[in-house]
């Protein structure tokens, strides 16, 4: 918030997007775009094409075109004397910023139906006139997701400030020295080609995966440090539960069930991932473990990623529990509040 042009209000907007420091800004991954539009200093403008042109402002006037209230029409002149028109939409305020006689670099799409006219181009003031050296650009451009309330020019200036201190940003994975990590960040934001941008993107993607894995590890350690309950899972309970399955377990299912049974019978919280292809029997393992907990006085909640899959599991379990005293109910986002409370306290 103490940077020129930011202040507390804009800093709050940026913070809402997780951008609180210059490091946060430079660690954002921009989207790769194409090369800069061609600079058209000679001849007519190509029709319906993104272009750049250096021009001197001749005049401006409000636009009264149908359905374009608040627009601004302007006339410009290139160094070769060719007149260029530009129409800005809902931009009457621009008259305070565009000074007749001054030179600007316009960039935008030319009108597909009218030659030598640009539609709502962006503009950059050329302080030294037509001879002003244009800023050097990398081979490719990138685009940012700019928060509402922050102008594009302001945000790009912020990115430049962040890139200026890129070498001071440490590698979160501590694999690259500051100079190499800063170089990768600059390649990400100012790529000379697609290969440089992809290399920078992969470096940050790897750090994101590592950070996610570290957070999962911290969460797992916190869960396992808590006191758990040892559930009784007797052979008799196991036999009764197995009898409700439509088919016997495979050797692979038997091996997994042995590990799950050991987990639930210990006094540590169970924290296990069962991975397998569709139809490999993961649901059957969950069903047996659920019945063991229920037999010992517990209540089981089986979570599913979609309501459709939840209904499918509810139908499957209900069929397997035919004639049982175990109650199997369905709870989704569409369940009425009163019914939701009744299910939670049943």
């Amino acid at each position: 918030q103490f940077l020129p042009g930011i202040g507390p209000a804009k800093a709050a907007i940026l913070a809402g997007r997780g951008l609180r420091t210059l490091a946060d800004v430079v660690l954002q991954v921009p989207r790769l775009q194409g090369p800069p539009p061609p600079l058209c200093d000679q001849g007519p403008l190509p029709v319906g094409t993104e272009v750049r042109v250096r021009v001197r402002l001749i005049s401006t006037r409000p636009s009264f075109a149908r359905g374009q209230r608040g627009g601004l029409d302007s006339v410009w002149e290139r160094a070769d004397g060719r007149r260029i028109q530009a129409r800005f939409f809902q931009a009457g305020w621009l008259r305070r910023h565009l000074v007749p006689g001054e030179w600007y670099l316009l960039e935008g799409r030319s009108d597909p139906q009218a030659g030598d006219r640009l539609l709502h181009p962006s503009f950059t003031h050329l302080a030294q006139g037509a001879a002003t050296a244009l800023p050097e650009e990398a081979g490719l451009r990138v685009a940012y997701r700019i928060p509402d309330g922050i102008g594009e020019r302001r945000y790009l200036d912020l990115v430049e400030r962040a890139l200026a201190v890129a070498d001071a940003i440490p590698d979160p994975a501590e694999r690259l020295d500051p100079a190499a990590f800063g170089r990768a960040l600059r390649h990400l934001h100012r790529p000379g080609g697609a290969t440089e941008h992809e290399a920078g993107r992969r470096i940050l993607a790897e750090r994101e995966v590592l950070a996610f894995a570290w957070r999962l590890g911290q969460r797992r350690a916190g869960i396992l440090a808590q006191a758990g309950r040892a559930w009784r899972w007797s052979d008799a309970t196991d036999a009764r539960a197995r009898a409700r399955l439509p088919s016997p377990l495979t050797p692979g299912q038997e091996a997994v069930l042995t590990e799950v049974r050991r987990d639930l019978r210990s006094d540590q919280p169970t924290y296990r991932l069962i991975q397998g292809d569709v139809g490999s029997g993961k649901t059957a393992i969950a069903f047996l473990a659920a019945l063991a907990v229920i037999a010992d006085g517990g209540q089981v909640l089986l979570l599913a990623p979609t309501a459709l899959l939840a209904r499918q599991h509810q139908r499957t379990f209900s069929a397997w529990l035919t004639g049982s005293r175990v109650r199997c109910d369905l709870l989704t986002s569409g369940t009425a509040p009163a019914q939701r409370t009744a299910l939670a306290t049943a």
Side-chain angles (χ1 to χ4, degrees):
Q1 66 174 326
F2 301 106
L3 290 175
I6 301 300
K10 287 184 172 58
I13 295 174
L14 293 167
R17 283 276 300 276
L19 305 176
R20 294 177 173 83
T21 67
L22 288 176
D24 293 332
V25 173
V26 81
L27 291 175
Q28 294 291 301
V29 178
R31 185 179 74 255
L32 186 65
Q33 292 186 316
L39 184 64
C40 298
D41 281 341
Q42 298 291 330
L45 299 183
V47 176
T49 305
E50 292 286 336
V51 297
R52 293 183 298 163
V53 58
R54 284 180 288 201
V55 286
R56 179 173 59 91
L57 180 61
I58 302 299
S59 63
T60 61
R61 64 179 179 84
S63 172
F64 298 101
R66 185 188 299 269
Q68 295 178 4
R69 296 178 58 186
L72 186 71
D73 283 334
S74 55
V75 179
W76 310 73
E77 186 178 69
R78 279 192 328 208
D80 63 354
R82 194 178 190 91
R83 291 291 177 98
I84 305 294
Q85 297 181 21
R87 171 165 290 175
F88 298 90
F89 304 118
Q90 296 183 355
W93 57 273
L94 282 179
R95 299 188 72 180
R96 302 192 303 270
H97 299 273
L98 297 176
V99 181
E102 291 293 306
W103 285 83
Y104 296 85
L105 175 68
L106 300 185
E107 179 177 328
R109 178 169 291 274
S110 58
D111 193 328
Q113 299 177 348
D116 291 342
R117 184 167 72 171
L118 297 176
L119 299 178
H120 202 76
S122 63
F123 63 91
T124 302
H125 182 230
L126 302 179
Q128 280 75 47
T132 303
L134 300 183
E136 294 186 6
E137 295 195 54
L140 297 175
R141 284 182 170 183
V142 296
Y144 299 91
R145 292 181 60 247
I146 301 176
D148 293 337
I150 304 293
E152 180 180 9
R153 181 65 57 187
R154 185 78 64 197
Y155 190 84
L156 294 180
D157 289 343
L158 186 60
V159 172
E160 290 299 328
R161 291 177 179 273
L163 290 175
V165 298
D167 288 346
I169 300 175
D171 178 6
E174 299 182 350
R175 293 182 176 180
L176 298 176
D177 60 61
F181 189 61
R183 185 166 55 252
L185 294 176
R186 284 190 292 273
H187 286 168
L188 176 69
H189 291 269
R190 300 292 179 264
T195 301
E196 288 185 356
H197 182 271
E198 177 61 16
R201 190 195 67 79
R202 288 184 65 87
I203 286 175
L204 288 192
E206 290 169 359
R207 273 102 188 120
E208 186 175 349
V209 171
L210 289 173
F212 182 67
W214 179 83
R215 291 179 69 92
L216 286 180
Q218 293 293 102
R219 181 180 179 184
R220 177 187 177 94
I223 291 175
L224 295 180
Q226 300 175 14
R229 171 178 171 177
W231 299 90
R232 292 191 297 270
W233 191 336
S234 65
D235 292 340
T237 297
D238 188 62
R240 289 197 305 270
R242 287 169 179 261
R244 294 190 170 276
L245 294 177
S247 59
L249 298 182
T250 65
Q253 290 173 309
E254 289 285 3
V256 172
L257 186 65
T258 298
E259 296 183 11
V260 173
R261 188 174 181 182
R262 183 177 63 245
D263 288 347
L264 289 177
R265 296 170 78 176
S266 72
D267 58 0
Q268 282 190 324
T270 298
Y271 196 90
R272 179 173 294 275
L273 169 68
I274 300 176
Q275 182 175 340
D277 294 333
V278 175
S280 60
K282 301 183 295 295
T283 302
I285 299 297
F287 176 76
L288 296 177
L291 288 188
V293 170
I294 293 170
D296 198 17
Q299 186 184 50
V300 175
L301 177 65
L302 177 70
L303 294 176
T306 66
L308 180 63
L309 185 58
R311 293 188 182 92
Q312 178 181 328
H313 284 316
Q314 199 260 349
R315 288 194 298 267
T316 299
F317 281 19
S318 295
W320 290 352
L321 291 169
T322 300
S324 171
R325 291 178 298 169
V326 176
R327 178 181 172 185
C328 182
D329 290 301
L330 179 67
L331 176 64
T332 70
S333 59
T335 303
Q339 185 181 1
R340 184 187 298 269
T341 302
L343 291 176
T345 56

